[in-house]
Amino acid sequence: FVALLRGVYVCVRAHSLSLSPSFSHPLFVSIETRVQIQESVRGKDVFVIQTMSKDVNTTIMEMLIMVYACRTSCAKSITGVLPYFPYSKQCKMRKRGSIVSKLVASMMCKAGLTHLITMDLHQKEIQGFFNIPVDNLRASPFLLQYIQEEIPDYRNAVIVAKSPASAKRAQSFAERLRLGIAVIHGEAQDAESDQVDGRHSPPTVKTTGAIHPSMEIPLLIPKEKPPITVVGDVGGRIAIIVDDIIDDVDSFVAAAETLKERGAYKIFVMATHGLLSSEAPRFIEESAIDEVVVTNTIPHELQKLQCPKIKTVDISMILSEAIRRIHNGESMSYLFRNIGVDD
């Protein structure tokens, strides 16, 4: 989308540097990243565009080193453009774990980032992890346009949330398209559930003698997963499942099978970020899903070759417009038209 800016951009080259020790054993080779800026950036507005690859840790280090190189070269401002923010799914405390997205945000700010442009954060609260301005753009207008233009009988569709956690997103799509909504309830809990939250950990030694009986802490009744139910009518209709990330497709495949059993005759999956890792393309091809639509925030050309059901929506226009407006000091509110607090 740099071509859409119609302006001059600075070329920053990043490459790997192999540092071998005195002996040449293949297991003892260290690969480091070196950045070389091809022209002066002193006093200039720099935009570092970085898309996430499969090797996400190397990608993060490349960006941090590029940002730090621009900072030490006296750039006026450094704006990071990350269509997909890495480690965004690790934004809550796990049992004896850590909030990794907070760590990544702190490293980016420490490296010298002064502004961040990203798209559809997994949780909007991630914006609070930064002490710099964050523009969290939305891909929903492009996905809604795809539904209206590429699904001829979309008026006979129903927007589906594959779990109660994604019901708010489904409600937003349904209200804009004037369609009904359905929610699948009772599927297996994911990593977001409080079963993996460390707050329920009991003490290692029971010290009932030191606590008065009337002050005994009551124990919560353990949760019992209910049978899978679909709240809403999907019989004889098109089911459009919406979410923000498609990575492990097992839950989407299971939701598609449930919707087929309830009478849906076509099933679409719409999401912003198509990670589609591991065997996801094969599982999609063999499933009851008719089409998976994702944006190009993450490169997935190889996955499309493996599975013709995967379609791509281009969102480069909104990113290039955000870069232009920030560079010219214009308002960003135009890019957030009709977007409510709960969207």
Side-chain angles (χ1 to χ4, degrees):
F1 57 82
V2 175
L4 298 175
L5 296 175
R6 303 183 184 278
V8 180
Y9 60 93
V10 176
C11 177
V12 181
R13 178 183 300 170
H15 62 276
S16 298
L17 172 67
S18 298
L19 301 178
S20 302
S22 55
F23 50 90
S24 58
H25 194 283
L27 297 179
F28 297 92
V29 178
S30 176
I31 299 178
E32 297 180 356
T33 300
R34 173 180 292 174
V35 167
Q36 181 180 1
I37 303 177
Q38 301 295 314
E39 57 187 88
S40 174
V41 297
R42 182 180 295 272
K44 295 183 178 180
D45 296 325
V46 179
F47 294 85
V48 179
I49 302 170
Q50 183 71 306
T51 55
M52 293 297 114
S53 63
K54 281 189 175 181
D55 192 355
V56 61
N57 297 326
T58 300
T59 307
I60 292 173
M61 282 305 301
E62 285 181 358
M63 180 179 182
L64 293 175
I65 296 173
M66 283 191 286
V67 170
Y68 190 66
C70 294
R71 175 188 174 187
T72 55
S73 298
C74 300
K76 179 183 177 182
S77 65
I78 307 170
T79 302
V81 183
L82 281 80
Y84 170 69
F85 183 71
Y87 286 98
S88 61
K89 291 190 290 185
Q90 300 190 45
C91 59
K92 294 183 180 180
M93 176 63 74
R94 265 59 172 188
K95 182 178 179 180
R96 300 179 183 87
S98 60
I99 306 176
V100 184
S101 56
K102 167 64 175 175
L103 173 63
V104 176
S106 300
M107 290 193 298
M108 290 181 179
C109 295
K110 189 68 176 179
L113 212 62
T114 60
H115 202 130
L116 178 67
I117 301 174
T118 186
M119 180 163 284
D120 279 343
L121 290 170
H122 185 56
Q123 297 288 342
K124 293 187 294 293
E125 292 78 5
I126 295 177
Q127 290 183 257
F129 296 164
F130 293 85
N131 54 12
I132 58 174
V134 177
D135 288 313
N136 182 24
L137 304 177
R138 301 294 196 276
S140 54
F142 298 91
L143 297 176
L144 291 169
Q145 185 181 24
Y146 184 92
I147 294 174
Q148 293 172 322
E149 295 180 355
E150 301 298 330
I151 305 178
D153 48 348
Y154 81 94
R155 290 295 182 186
N156 188 36
V158 58
I159 306 299
V160 179
K162 69 179 181 66
S163 67
S166 56
K168 190 173 292 185
R169 178 182 296 271
Q171 180 183 357
S172 175
F173 272 68
E175 290 176 352
R176 283 170 168 78
L177 294 171
R178 276 67 172 175
L179 298 177
I181 185 175
V183 180
I184 300 177
H185 179 56
E187 60 182 351
Q189 298 295 315
D190 54 18
E192 300 283 338
S193 67
D194 56 5
Q195 292 293 326
V196 294
D197 196 318
R199 289 175 292 183
H200 75 282
S201 300
T204 54
V205 180
K206 191 173 182 180
T207 56
T208 54
I211 302 177
H212 193 274
S214 62
M215 298 177 62
E216 189 73 25
I217 299 175
L219 295 178
L220 283 175
I221 300 173
K223 292 182 179 180
E224 182 178 351
K225 185 177 67 175
I228 296 178
T229 56
V230 178
V231 182
D233 182 22
V234 297
R237 308 179 75 176
I238 300 173
I240 303 177
I241 305 174
V242 296
D243 212 332
D244 61 331
I245 299 175
I246 300 179
D247 188 5
D248 183 7
V249 298
D250 290 343
S251 59
F252 292 94
V253 171
E257 293 176 354
T258 301
L259 294 171
K260 275 289 185 184
E261 294 173 357
R262 300 303 193 277
Y265 71 93
K266 269 189 180 180
I267 299 173
F268 291 82
V269 176
M270 317 283 293
T272 303
H273 309 295
L275 275 69
L276 302 170
S277 57
S278 188
E279 297 293 322
R282 182 175 62 84
F283 292 152
I284 293 172
E285 186 67 24
E286 298 172 355
S287 70
I289 299 173
D290 293 283
E291 196 168 284
V292 173
V293 182
V294 294
T295 69
N296 55 350
T297 55
I298 300 174
H300 52 269
E301 287 78 10
L302 181 60
Q303 288 88 335
K304 289 182 68 175
L305 293 175
Q306 298 172 348
C307 179
K309 292 182 179 181
I310 300 174
K311 308 297 180 181
T312 306
V313 174
D314 182 27
I315 45 83
S316 59
M317 184 182 298
I318 191 171
L319 291 174
S320 59
E321 179 65 14
I323 294 174
R324 189 193 67 80
R325 286 176 174 271
I326 290 175
H327 179 63
N328 295 329
E330 300 177 13
S331 173
M332 293 288 289
S333 61
Y334 176 80
L335 304 180
F336 295 94
R337 293 170 299 170
N338 301 324
I339 295 178
V341 177
D342 295 331
D343 285 350

